[in-house]
């Protein structure tokens, strides 16, 4: 079959989901940590929706549910460790209209079966092959586009493009249509404010990925979709509907998070030049620089769950059907787990694993790819941008947001 | 020294590194890791791990 697939744009191609998305995570919040520390002194469980604590409008998809915001390492871990009480079914309403039936919306035993299948494509030994074939060429191309200039905005010219270009290549999406894919993918996440657009994007991406999947079943290549169509564990393969939903989620899951994490890594090191120098001299420090960044400036600040039964958390009664938000960022800055938790220190003695990728059955499926991408990005810059430093003539980077955190610009100079 | 891969999340148990935060010192062979130990990332048990060459 020789068919050229074409993605369809929104019926109203002027619709801009990016602004809606950017505004939804709390642009006005410089840092949520002082507020969280203050709240933590009063209680660890608060009967409020997290985003409303910072003046944001409630999520319309959970408006009929009681809400609880949960702080501190111990309780966050407790929530993630008890999926039989704290269920992922809440995502059926939050993400379902856009993504469909993804593993994020499932509980065991269904989740366990499908997660095991998807994970095969994201094992460390599998993604290592993508490192040379896809990740490094993208990093080299992007750095190469500005390395002769001696200055750059690393967000606009690198991090905001980097993981998206990687996932487009992994999926084999046509270069001319990438902006439409990105726009549709972002619209999937704004179901909380515009469910019509989310459903339109879902239908259009679903039609494209459905046809693409059919083509890969018939004529597999070396791309990620082909790999996912072939994966088999104990005689079971991924149903087409589940695979299409996963593909819908992929651009957001692999792009929006790693874009921010890579940005925050660069900010962390550039604003701590002595630690940047240490990493520049000894690249074996990169893994601990990545983990300290993820702890210090967690990308996804909260994890949602729904209480399946009446329960109690730290003495607070949680009725069945409540939305429970585990604040990953608060766990990562819990002073009982990390000394001086607001300090960025790549030489910090490891005392607790951070919660940036959550914990338990739903721990981030793409964390190994995220680490690989961040490692390659940093190595590329340190190798090819000598004397990389913040541009003293431009505004310093500002990490902001209360539900997701990242900088809008990172202005740098280097020896061209 | 060998490595074992969690089939649920991809976390790697490397016998040379152990899992110090989980109470398993570096150099602990897989056979000596107690059955009560769980994957530090996803909470799966030892039976969900398979030996791999990394």
């Amino acid at each position: 079959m020789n068919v050229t697939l074409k993605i369809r744009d929104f019926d109203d191609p002027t619709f801009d989901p990016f602004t809606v998305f950017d505004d939804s995570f709390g642009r006005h919040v410089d840092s949520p940590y002082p507020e969280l520390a203050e709240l933590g002194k009063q209680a660890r469980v608060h009967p409020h929706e997290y985003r409303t604590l910072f003046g944001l409008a409630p999520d319309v998809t959970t408006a009929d549910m009681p809400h609880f915001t949960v702080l501190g390492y111990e309780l966050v871990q407790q929530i993630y460790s008890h999926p039989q009480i704290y269920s992922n079914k809440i995502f059926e309403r939050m993400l379902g209209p856009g993504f469909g039936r993804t593993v994020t919306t499932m509980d065991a035993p269904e989740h366990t079966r499908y997660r095991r299948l998807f994970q095969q494509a994201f094992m460390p030994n599998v993604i290592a092959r993508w490192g040379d074939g896809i990740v490094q060429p993208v990093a080299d191309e992007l750095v190469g586009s500005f390395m002769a200039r001696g200055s750059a905005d690393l967000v606009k010219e690198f991090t905001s493009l980097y993981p998206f270009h990687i996932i487009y290549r992994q999926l084999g999406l046509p270069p001319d249509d990438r902006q439409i894919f990105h726009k549709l993918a972002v619209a999937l996440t704004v179901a909380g404010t515009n469910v019509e657009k989310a459903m339109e994007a879902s239908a259009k991406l679903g039609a494209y990925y459905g046809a693409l999947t059919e083509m890969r079943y018939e004529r597999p290549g070396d791309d990620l979709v082909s790999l996912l169509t072939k994966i088999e564990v104990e005689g079971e393969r991924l149903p087409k509907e589940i695979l299409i939903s996963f593909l819908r989620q992929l651009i957001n899951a692999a792009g929006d998070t790693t874009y921010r994490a890579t940005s925050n890594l660069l900010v962390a090191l550039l604003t701590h030049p002595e630690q940047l120098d240490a990493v520049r001299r000894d690249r074996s420090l990169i893994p601990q620089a990545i983990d300290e960044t993820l702890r210090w400036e967690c990308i996804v600040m909260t994890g949602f769950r729904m209480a399946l039964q009446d329960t109690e958390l730290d003495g607070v009664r949680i009725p069945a059907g409540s939305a429970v938000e585990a604040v990953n960022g608060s766990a990562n800055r819990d002073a009982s787990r990390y000394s001086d938790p607001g300090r960025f220190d790549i030489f910090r003695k490891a005392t607790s694993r951070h919660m940036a990728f959550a914990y338990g059955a739903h721990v981030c499926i793409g964390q190994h790819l995220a680490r690989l991408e961040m490692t390659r990005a940093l190595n590329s810059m340190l190798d090819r941008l000598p004397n990389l430093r913040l541009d003293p003539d431009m505004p310093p980077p500002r990490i902001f947001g209360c539900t997701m955190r990242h900088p809008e610009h990172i202005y740098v100079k280097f020896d061209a | 020294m060998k490595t074992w891969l969690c089939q649920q999340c991809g976390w790697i148990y490397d016998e040379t590194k152990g899992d110090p935060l989980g109470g398993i010192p570096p150099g602990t062979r897989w056979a000596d890791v107690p059955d009560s130990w769980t994957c530090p990332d996803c909470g799966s048990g030892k039976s969900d791990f398979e030996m791999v060459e990394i």
Side-chain angles (χ1 to χ4, degrees):
Chain A
M1 187 167 68
N2 188 14
V3 178
T4 302
L5 299 179
K6 186 72 183 167
I7 187 70
R8 288 169 54 219
D9 199 348
F10 282 108
D11 295 342
D12 171 11
T14 64
F15 174 65
D16 169 22
F18 295 101
T19 305
V20 180
F21 181 64
D22 283 352
D23 288 346
S24 70
F25 56 79
R27 176 178 296 278
H28 63 286
V29 179
D30 273 327
S31 172
Y33 292 108
E35 175 86 10
L36 291 174
E38 199 54 43
L39 283 168
K41 288 178 192 165
Q42 299 162 22
R44 296 195 294 177
V45 180
H46 294 263
H48 304 289
E49 184 175 351
Y50 172 83
R51 52 189 291 114
T52 65
L53 294 171
F54 298 95
L56 291 175
D59 186 317
V60 297
T61 64
T62 57
D64 59 332
M65 304 169 77
H67 279 262
F68 293 89
T69 291
V70 180
L71 306 175
Y73 196 98
E74 182 189 348
L75 295 185
V76 168
Q77 188 173 43
Q78 186 175 333
I79 289 168
Y80 290 140
S81 305
H82 292 85
Q84 68 279 22
I85 299 174
Y86 301 103
S87 161
N88 269 57
K89 292 288 182 189
I90 192 168
F91 289 110
E92 285 181 346
R93 54 165 79 199
M94 298 181 77
L95 300 179
F99 295 140
R101 283 184 71 221
T102 71
V103 283
T104 308
T105 68
M106 298 175 188
D107 289 336
E110 183 182 41
H111 170 262
T112 314
R113 279 166 50 210
Y114 295 137
R115 163 75 190 229
R116 200 177 174 95
L117 284 159
F118 281 117
Q119 189 68 61
Q120 302 308 308
F122 294 91
M123 288 297 195
N125 46 346
V126 175
I127 58 115
R129 294 199 291 269
W130 291 339
D132 290 333
I134 292 182
V135 178
Q136 193 62 49
V138 171
D140 289 343
E141 279 176 31
L142 291 172
V143 171
S145 71
F146 57 77
M147 65 181 290
R149 213 172 57 222
S151 65
D153 177 351
L154 293 181
V155 174
K156 296 300 174 203
E157 298 178 81
F158 189 90
T159 59
S160 65
L161 307 171
Y162 175 60
F164 297 101
H165 285 208
I166 291 167
I167 198 69
Y168 299 149
R169 290 193 193 194
Q170 285 175 312
L171 295 176
L173 301 182
D176 291 348
D177 290 338
R178 287 172 178 176
Q179 191 54 29
I180 297 176
F181 278 102
H182 196 180
K183 188 163 66 165
L184 292 168
V186 168
L188 297 178
T189 65
V190 299
T193 53
N194 195 332
V195 74
E196 275 182 29
K197 292 295 185 194
M199 292 179 75
E200 182 185 347
S202 180
K204 286 174 171 164
L205 285 169
Y208 184 92
Y209 289 138
L212 178 64
T213 304
E214 281 299 325
M215 288 174 66
R216 296 295 182 254
Y217 277 126
E218 289 179 22
R219 296 177 60 183
D222 58 2
D223 60 293
L224 176 59
V225 180
S226 299
L227 175 61
L228 290 167
T229 60
K230 287 186 283 191
I231 283 173
E232 187 175 317
V233 174
E234 294 170 358
E236 182 168 24
R237 288 191 178 200
L238 289 163
K240 188 176 170 190
E241 176 217 351
I242 304 294
L243 176 49
I244 291 170
S245 296
F246 183 83
L247 293 174
R248 280 198 195 98
Q249 191 172 15
L250 201 53
I251 291 176
N252 304 109
D256 286 319
T257 49
T258 305
Y259 142 47
R260 291 176 170 82
T262 308
S263 303
N264 290 356
L265 172 66
L266 293 167
V267 171
L269 290 172
L270 286 162
T271 56
H272 296 81
E274 72 293 347
Q275 296 185 54
L276 176 62
D277 282 342
V279 173
R280 188 184 277 125
R281 288 192 303 270
D282 179 1
R283 305 299 173 86
S284 72
L285 296 173
I286 289 178
Q288 62 202 67
I290 289 173
D291 275 307
E292 174 65 353
T293 299
L294 292 166
R295 182 201 68 79
W296 179 66
E297 274 299 3
C298 183
I299 305 305
V300 181
M301 283 292 286
T302 70
F304 288 87
R305 295 293 187 268
M306 180 172 71
L308 290 179
Q309 61 193 61
D310 290 345
T311 188
E312 197 176 287
L313 201 53
D314 207 32
V316 176
R317 185 179 158 272
I318 312 277
S322 297
V324 180
E325 276 183 88
V327 184
N328 302 325
S330 133
N332 287 354
R333 294 213 186 185
D334 187 328
S336 72
R337 294 285 183 146
Y338 305 99
S339 64
D340 194 6
R343 180 170 49 90
F344 174 77
D345 179 5
I346 66 171
F347 299 106
R348 176 182 294 279
K349 184 176 183 300
T351 49
S352 298
R353 73 173 286 286
H354 61 73
M355 293 285 181
F357 293 123
Y359 168 76
H362 286 271
V363 70
C364 176
I365 202 169
Q367 62 165 309
H368 309 294
L369 178 58
R371 289 178 197 278
L372 182 146
E373 291 182 13
M374 293 168 76
T375 301
R376 295 269 181 162
L378 187 55
N379 266 324
S380 288
M381 290 187 199
L382 295 179
D383 287 343
R384 301 178 71 194
L385 306 176
N387 195 20
L388 178 68
R389 61 206 183 271
L390 288 176
D391 186 339
D393 300 322
M394 297 296 285
R398 167 187 169 245
I399 295 175
F400 62 92
C402 66
T403 62
M404 296 183 85
R405 291 184 55 72
H406 77 285
E408 206 157 29
H409 303 281
I410 307 174
Y411 296 110
V412 294
K413 280 187 171 283
F414 41 87
D415 300 341
Chain B
M1 290 286 143
K2 292 172 180 160
T3 50
W4 296 74
L5 181 66
C6 177
Q7 296 301 303
Q8 282 299 129
C9 75
W11 191 83
I12 294 170
Y13 180 82
D14 181 338
E15 290 182 334
T16 60
K17 296 177 182 171
D19 173 23
L21 293 180
I24 310 296
T28 305
R29 296 199 177 276
W30 181 247
D32 296 327
V33 174
D35 288 339
S36 57
W37 176 86
T38 57
C39 173
D41 272 5
C42 75
S44 293
K46 278 184 75 178
S47 61
D48 281 312
F49 281 69
E50 291 179 7
M51 194 174 71
V52 289
E53 301 268 347
I54 299 291

